[in-house]
Amino acid sequence: MGGMRLEPYRHVFALPGVLRLLAVALLARVPATAVGITLTLHVVGNLHRGYGAAGLVGAVSTIGMALGGPVLGRLVDRRGLRPMLLLTTAGSAVFWAVAPVLPYPVLLPVAFLGGALTLPVFSVIRQSLAALVPQQHRRAAYSIDSMSVELSFMAGPALAVVILTNTSAPATMWGVGVALTLAGIGLYAFNPPVHSAEEHAAAGAPAGRHRVLTPRLVLVLVAVAGATFVLAGTDVGIVAVLREANQLSWSGVVFIAWGAYSLVGGFVYGALPRPWSPLVLMTLLGLCTMPVGLAGEWHWLCLLIAPAGFLCAPVIASSSDTISRMVPASVRGEAMGWHGSALTTGTSLGAPAVGFVLDRYGASWGFALAGIVGVVVSLLAIVVVRHRSGGATPPGGPADPAPAAIAVAAPAAAPAVAQ
């Protein structure tokens, strides 16, 4: 880890409001990470439907979140944070209050609406970090944020399962609803800034939609979706490997190891002296994911998943940092909404696609598919970036500040991530 520095983290934590924001983020994200497993167990255990039916509820909810994210982000850009928090907190409260008593055919459309009005905790925190943290320290800030997400995913689903096994699915759903409502109220009371003082002073008329989805931003969003495709496929693949080996009871150990690797990787990435392109990180993530399917036992799985695990948090942190720099502050909320949509889209595509291959060809081919998709998407994006940068001069302005934001990282930086 030569060249790694801790000063960036000290600078971030010393900034006013950052530590409080990160603490609120960790607490608010725990119930958000429990949503998927809670809905799945409710449909399977309480409504007595199959996993396919549960997956359909998750899919329509995810589609709602993907479509609603940019709209909610634009609402923040135009009206401020609190009106959006009022809308989504009320929407989440109503959905989780009625969902446990709805029959399955009614639950499907309601889950779509509930997804569209889901409290966008992840996007709000990332937008607020961009307002609180100067650009030179955002990489460290988003690395901390990615590590916080990992901790939330370690805690949220596990807590949901514990509560459900000791009470009931409806009680767990109502508990998730109460926790999300409290998270919304807490964020409303905290009211973290979404623009810095300098951005407020320089603010003019909101930029049009065409200023948000620039070609470069679309490339980063595609890369983000590709990355979460890989991660969702890995999630399913781990379960498949352990089921084939009759070692499903070790799944908790493997998932904890995977999360721990990601935490370490995020910490190292934020402390490195030079940034890495999300496209390069995603290429490495795909390459490191391919051989994981060769594992036949849980201990080999823990070992083979380590290289890809180290790259999980850096990929998300790098994409968040890049997007925060690529758009003007006036449309940052919508851009972060698109970022959240890309994350959920990749996840919703990765699990069923890899699952299809797992069912027919085995675990090794499932991991191979996940890795290949990640590598192909990232390499295509790199080729497009190089082509556009080598041709006409990219358009100027705050929405497209520098081709270096998503350009390929210099070879000199390679040893740092490898260590």
Side-chain angles (χ1 to χ4, degrees):
M1 281 185 247
M4 193 177 76
R5 304 169 301 154
L6 298 181
E7 287 83 0
Y9 291 117
R10 284 196 285 266
H11 285 301
V12 169
F13 285 121
L15 292 169
V18 170
L19 188 58
R20 185 181 175 192
L21 175 67
L22 292 171
V24 171
L26 182 61
L27 295 175
R29 282 168 168 164
V30 169
T33 60
V35 167
I37 187 69
T38 302
L39 283 175
T40 297
L41 294 176
H42 167 66
V43 172
V44 173
N46 206 48
L47 298 182
H48 308 293
R49 300 273 180 154
Y51 284 99
L56 184 57
V57 172
V60 297
S61 176
T62 300
I63 293 171
M65 285 188 280
L67 295 177
V71 177
L72 295 174
R74 183 182 287 191
L75 177 61
V76 174
D77 291 332
R78 295 185 174 181
R79 303 296 181 187
L81 182 61
R82 280 182 161 171
M84 185 278 292
L85 289 175
L86 282 175
L87 174 64
T88 54
T89 300
S92 294
V94 171
F95 171 74
W96 289 101
V98 303
V101 299
L102 295 177
Y104 182 79
V106 180
L107 180 62
L108 282 173
V110 173
F112 174 82
L113 294 175
L117 292 176
T118 292
L119 182 69
V121 178
F122 297 86
S123 298
V124 167
I125 300 304
R126 288 166 181 148
Q127 184 179 4
S128 186
L129 278 176
L132 290 171
V133 181
Q135 283 197 13
Q136 65 268 29
H137 299 308
R138 280 185 196 163
R139 180 159 51 92
Y142 283 122
S143 294
I144 298 169
D145 179 69
S146 292
M147 289 186 277
S148 170
V149 171
E150 288 292 346
L151 292 173
S152 299
F153 272 100
M154 287 180 179
L159 282 173
V161 172
V162 169
I163 294 171
L164 189 143
T165 53
N166 286 281
T167 57
S168 65
T172 306
M173 295 176 76
W174 286 322
V176 169
V178 169
L180 286 173
T181 302
L182 291 176
I185 294 172
L187 283 170
Y188 185 92
F190 179 25
N191 193 26
V194 291
H195 299 102
S196 67
E198 293 79 7
E199 290 166 348
H200 272 300
R209 184 183 180 87
H210 66 280
R211 299 292 300 279
V212 182
L213 290 178
T214 62
R216 291 187 184 281
L217 181 59
V218 171
L219 286 175
V220 176
L221 294 174
V222 170
V224 169
T228 50
F229 182 101
V230 176
L231 299 180
T234 301
D235 198 359
V236 175
I238 289 172
V239 175
V241 169
L242 295 175
R243 286 188 67 182
E244 287 181 7
N246 278 331
Q247 296 179 339
L248 203 55
S249 60
W250 290 96
S251 59
V253 174
V254 177
F255 280 111
I256 289 173
W258 189 26
Y261 296 144
S262 180
L263 285 172
V264 173
F267 179 81
V268 172
Y269 177 74
L272 290 175
R274 299 178 61 182
W276 273 67
S277 160
L279 303 183
V280 172
L281 289 169
M282 182 181 153
T283 304
L284 294 174
L285 175 65
L287 290 172
C288 292
T289 298
M290 291 183 199
V292 177
L294 299 176
E297 304 282 339
W298 70 269
H299 49 277
W300 284 110
L301 196 55
C302 286
L303 182 64
L304 289 179
I305 205 171
F310 288 131
L311 293 164
C312 294
V315 167
I316 305 304
S318 177
S319 65
S320 302
D321 182 27
T322 298
I323 289 175
S324 76
R325 299 169 186 267
M326 292 180 70
V327 298
S330 60
V331 293
R332 189 186 291 141
E334 184 177 348
M336 286 301 178
W338 283 112
H339 181 249
S341 297
L343 290 169
T344 55
T345 299
T347 301
S348 63
L349 293 175
V354 173
F356 178 85
V357 173
L358 288 169
D359 289 339
R360 285 154 182 79
Y361 305 106
S364 58
W365 285 105
F367 281 102
L369 172 68
I372 288 170
V373 168
V375 170
V376 169
V377 169
S378 58
L379 289 179
L380 286 175
I382 288 172
V383 169
V384 173
V385 169
R386 283 186 163 178
H387 175 73
R388 289 179 60 84
S389 298
T393 302
D400 199 4
I406 54 173
V408 179
V417 167
Q419 293 177 14

